[in-house]
Amino acid sequence: MKVLVVGGGGREHALCWKIASSELVSHIFCAPGNPGTAEVGENVPIEAGNLDALLEFALENDIDLTVVGPEQPLVDGLADRFRAVGLAVFGPSRTGAILEGSKVFAKEFMFRHGIPTAASHTFDNQEDALTFLSSDDAEVPLVVKADGLAAGKGVLLCEDLKSAESAIETVMGKRAFGEAGARVVLEEFLVGVEASIHIITDGKSYVVLPTAKDHKKIFDGEKGPNTGGMGAVSPAPGVNESLLSTIEYGIIQSFINGLRQDEIEFRGTVFFGLMLTKNGPFVLEFNVRFGDPESQVIFPRIESDIVPILASTAAGNLSGKLVLKEEVAVTVVGASAGYPGAYRKGLSIRISPDFPDSATLFHAGTKMADGNLVTAGGRVLAVTGMGRDVEQARSVAYHGIDAVRFDGMVYRSDIAKA
Ligand code: AMP
Ligand code: GLY
């Protein structure tokens, strides 16, 4: 089989790495990929947003299966266009991708299908949103969410009414996230521990992937601004068998029933961002893609060949059993100094011979320049360690990240620490 993976971050390196271990696969292409994906496949210089060029490439190269990493091409209709010409794609149609592409749509879907989520109000003009804030119904803290995709920046946590007002002004008035801010969701603030639950589904049946938890804040002790994720652990602490069945019955199955009732075609992954509260698990958001850095702990924990599952899902007929490894996986992200704000690029990356054989290095924002590996993004790379328990997995991951150097490299020292 010839497989094309779309995207070029850490998630895509982890995906390519897992797909490359399949005996069914003769060749992996990654568009645009990164130096890590080039180690396990062949990079193609096409950006993930260039749907015309991707389609042409897939047709010309007889690609048997395309696996889409990021959400934007899905929201833009990549899967619809590929399927229209008979190409198999792992990733939802545009109508399925709206579950991530519009928070308003996602909230309405959840209310309609009885999926536990924070109480919320939706507004399509600033004046009404501000009027609501001055009413008795408004309680702080509250969360202001831009409706559309905002590169993970469209969620503003507001301690008081004044900051909620200015958040509404940022999102709707100033349109800081463009037309993503044409509508806004004002949402109840939920208290608890977060967990990332992924499933693969063809819209009818599903398999649950290893659970994970990511660490979103830039600094130790969950301090500082939010990032895309500074590290992750799988399984997710606190998600035991009994909670997982509550999540399956109360959330996943209601979600699948909702897809059926609303006739939403869905062939891909759903990543439920959950808040585990004292009143049970609540859905914060749906993503229609694998998490990053969750992928860097999820794929290493899957024993079975993932390709039959991806391919049968793309064909709309999910089959294949998922066998998991009993081990724990921990990944630690190395980021550029200044991230998630401004940072320098082009800094030379050195990997010392002490890098442990048992650790896996996943590239994200790296590139080759004149034969040298250099930084090219905020989150530069991640190192995953596996072990029989969290301590052992942490120890491998940290030995690995300690063997990597670039000027100003930042990483958290408390990933997966109890
Ligand atoms: P989202 O993109 O909706 O997952 O939001 C990004 C992050 O904001 C989440 O991972 C949470 O840390 C936080 N968040 C979102 N919604 C809420 C909420 N209702 N209550 C508390 N925190 C939230
Ligand atoms: N790590 C969170 C995400 O991928 O959205």
Side-chain angles (χ1 to χ4, degrees):
M1 263 177 96
K2 290 203 266 182
V3 178
L4 168 65
V5 173
V6 176
R11 162 184 50 215
E12 286 76 18
H13 185 187
L15 256 172
C16 287
W17 171 88
K18 180 62 185 163
I19 291 170
S21 68
S22 171
E23 285 181 3
L24 300 170
V25 173
S26 56
H27 204 95
I28 303 177
F29 296 99
C30 192
N34 64 37
T37 63
E39 286 169 9
V40 290
E42 180 183 342
N43 287 349
V44 181
I46 303 174
E47 289 305 317
N50 190 347
L51 304 197
D52 291 337
L54 289 171
L55 187 60
E56 196 183 310
F57 178 86
L59 286 171
E60 271 178 8
N61 291 277
D62 298 320
I63 297 296
D64 299 296
L65 173 66
T66 298
V67 182
V68 185
E71 64 280 10
Q72 189 72 54
L74 295 167
V75 170
D76 293 342
L78 184 151
D80 310 66
R81 289 188 59 187
F82 273 53
R83 285 189 194 119
V85 294
L87 289 166
V89 188
F90 181 87
S93 60
R94 193 199 294 259
T95 34
I98 296 178
L99 287 160
E100 176 167 359
S102 165
K103 303 238 185 239
V104 173
F105 184 89
K107 294 299 288 193
E108 285 170 357
F109 181 91
M110 288 190 262
F111 294 135
R112 192 159 59 241
H113 299 295
I115 297 170
T117 186
S120 70
H121 297 266
T122 295
F123 299 96
D124 60 11
N125 75 72
Q126 192 176 351
E127 214 180 301
D128 291 350
L130 292 173
T131 308
F132 172 81
L133 274 193
S134 49
S135 76
D136 290 345
D137 291 338
E139 280 180 37
V140 285
L142 85 89
V143 188
V144 175
K145 299 187 172 185
D147 176 41
L149 293 181
K153 301 198 171 80
V155 173
L156 305 164
L157 307 176
C158 305
E159 291 291 334
D160 49 42
L161 289 175
K162 213 169 153 42
S163 54
E165 266 174 37
S166 82
I168 290 168
E169 169 59 17
T170 304
V171 173
M172 299 196 97
K174 298 198 184 110
R175 286 284 206 273
F177 314 110
E179 284 315 292
R183 291 191 292 178
V184 80
V185 176
L186 304 188
E187 191 172 279
E188 169 197 10
F189 184 89
L190 295 175
V191 178
V193 176
E194 287 181 57
S196 303
I197 306 295
H198 291 68
I199 61 165
I200 287 177
T201 180
D202 60 0
K204 303 177 290 268
S205 43
Y206 64 89
V207 291
V208 182
L209 299 184
T211 64
K213 173 186 160 57
D214 84 342
H215 292 261
K216 290 212 166 68
K217 303 285 184 187
I218 184 75
F219 300 129
D220 281 11
E222 299 302 330
K223 299 216 166 66
N226 261 339
T227 69
M230 291 298 290
V233 56
S234 175
V239 182
N240 55 22
E241 288 284 318
S242 128
L243 182 55
L244 196 56
S245 41
T246 306
I247 293 168
E248 267 202 78
Y249 291 117
I251 294 174
I252 297 174
Q253 291 179 5
S254 305
F255 178 88
I256 302 286
N257 288 337
L259 291 181
R260 269 214 217 100
Q261 280 172 27
D262 294 355
E263 295 181 13
I264 296 174
E265 194 206 41
F266 203 105
R267 302 179 193 179
T269 192
V270 187
F271 155 12
F272 299 88
L274 301 187
M275 186 70 90
L276 310 176
T277 75
K278 65 177 183 358
N279 298 320
F282 282 68
V283 176
L284 294 178
E285 62 165 352
F286 300 126
N287 300 290
V288 299
R289 53 172 177 83
F290 296 107
D292 188 342
E294 285 90 337
S295 297
Q296 291 88 314
V297 288
I298 288 176
F299 294 119
R301 284 201 59 230
I302 298 177
E303 181 76 55
S304 356
D305 186 347
I306 192 85
V307 174
I309 296 173
L310 299 176
S312 59
T313 300
N317 196 12
L318 167 58
S319 63
K321 206 171 143 38
L322 197 70
V323 179
L324 307 186
K325 291 183 188 159
E326 284 303 315
E327 287 161 285
V328 173
V330 169
T331 199
V332 180
V333 170
S336 300
Y339 173 78
Y343 52 82
R344 286 172 62 197
K345 293 183 187 173
L347 303 169
S348 166
I349 301 171
R350 296 172 302 277
I351 299 162
S352 101
D354 297 340
F355 190 88
D357 288 340
S358 53
T360 309
L361 177 72
F362 290 114
H363 292 242
T366 68
K367 70 170 191 184
M368 296 303 290
D370 301 327
N372 297 313
L373 186 66
V374 300
T375 64
R379 290 188 296 169
V380 176
L381 44 77
V383 177
T384 299
M386 307 275 293
R388 63 177 178 277
D389 55 26
V390 177
E391 270 324 298
Q392 199 181 42
R394 285 190 83 229
S395 160
V396 176
Y398 276 103
H399 273 111
I401 200 86
D402 284 340
V404 177
R405 284 277 169 277
F406 51 86
D407 278 354
M409 180 170 90
V410 175
Y411 62 91
R412 279 181 56 167
S413 69
D414 64 347
I415 301 302
K417 206 167 178 172

